[in-house]
């Protein structure tokens, strides 16, 4: 949804990081990237996606990046009935991307009323170079596309 429509790698990187953070919560089972990403960009009914993945809940959202500003909207959906359980929008400088990822993962865990362990709750430091992080995400995106 970015103005230049060239930020797919960034959104994929955000999604992968949030998946990774959620897998660190011991009482939470998270569907793998390959399985969940097959539905990326498709507008199927979330109940059908949940059924196909065997998932009770689905996290979906959008990432928009304009200059040095980042807007992430994340939603937690009950895949049994399609209802929204939680939703939030985060507006931060690009340099705060890791902070936004941590906030989303924590808020999803809270919305699911899952106990978050002390190891998970320790805050990660913001990265020092937004440009380096952007290049890292571009590299991961290319690697995942095998090009």
């Amino acid at each position: 949804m970015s103005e230049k429509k060239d930020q797919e790698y960034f959104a994929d990187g955000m999604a992968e990081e949030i998946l990774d953070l959620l897998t660190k919560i011991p009482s939470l089972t998270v569907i793998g990237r390959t399985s969940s990403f097959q539905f990326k960009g498709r507008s199927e009914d979330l109940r059908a996606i949940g059924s196909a993945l065997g998932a009770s809940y689905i996290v979906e959202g959008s990432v928009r990046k304009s200059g040095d500003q980042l807007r992430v909207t994340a939603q937690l959906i009950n895949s049994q009935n399609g209802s929204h359980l939680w939703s939030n929008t985060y507006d931060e400088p690009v340099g705060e991307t890791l902070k936004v990822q941590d906030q989303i993962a924590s808020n999803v865990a809270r919305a699911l009323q899952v106990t978050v362990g002390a190891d998970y709750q320790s805050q990660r430091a913001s990265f020092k170079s937004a440009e380096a992080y952007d290049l890292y995400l571009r590299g991961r995106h290319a690697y995942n596309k095998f090009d």
Side-chain angles (χ1 to χ4, degrees):
M1 295 180 71
S2 292
E3 59 194 33
K4 294 181 182 177
K5 307 288 186 207
D6 63 346
Q7 299 297 315
E8 180 181 16
Y9 75 94
F10 192 82
D12 286 355
M14 282 285 288
E16 287 182 29
E17 291 290 333
I18 292 167
L19 278 170
D20 181 60
L21 289 170
L22 291 173
T23 62
K24 290 178 174 51
I25 301 171
S27 56
L28 196 61
T29 301
V30 179
I31 304 298
R33 178 198 183 280
T34 304
S35 298
S36 60
F37 271 46
Q38 70 180 311
F39 296 100
K40 183 179 85 167
R42 293 167 51 183
S43 58
E44 288 186 39
D45 186 292
L46 292 178
R47 293 171 290 194
I49 293 172
S51 177
L53 293 173
S56 301
Y57 304 96
I58 295 175
V59 177
E60 69 170 359
S62 63
V63 177
R64 293 175 294 270
K65 189 172 137 186
S66 180
D68 289 337
Q69 272 305 110
L70 178 70
R71 173 174 282 174
V72 179
T73 301
Q75 303 167 20
L76 179 65
I77 311 295
N78 179 327
S79 66
Q80 304 302 308
N81 60 20
S83 65
H84 280 75
L85 298 173
W86 167 84
S87 180
N88 204 359
T89 298
Y90 304 85
D91 289 313
E92 297 283 347
V94 170
E96 297 296 318
T97 303
L98 295 177
K99 174 183 164 188
V100 170
Q101 292 167 351
D102 286 342
Q103 288 174 340
I104 292 169
S106 291
N107 288 337
V108 166
R110 279 191 204 101
L112 290 170
Q113 298 181 342
V114 174
T115 303
V116 178
D119 289 343
Y120 172 75
Q121 288 185 359
S122 63
Q123 292 292 327
R124 297 185 296 174
S126 294
F127 52 87
K128 293 182 181 10
S129 168
E131 180 182 4
Y133 187 67
D134 185 69
L135 292 170
Y136 165 74
L137 289 177
R138 287 178 189 263
R140 277 182 51 178
H141 181 73
Y143 176 79
N144 288 331
K145 288 190 165 261
F146 303 105
D147 66 356

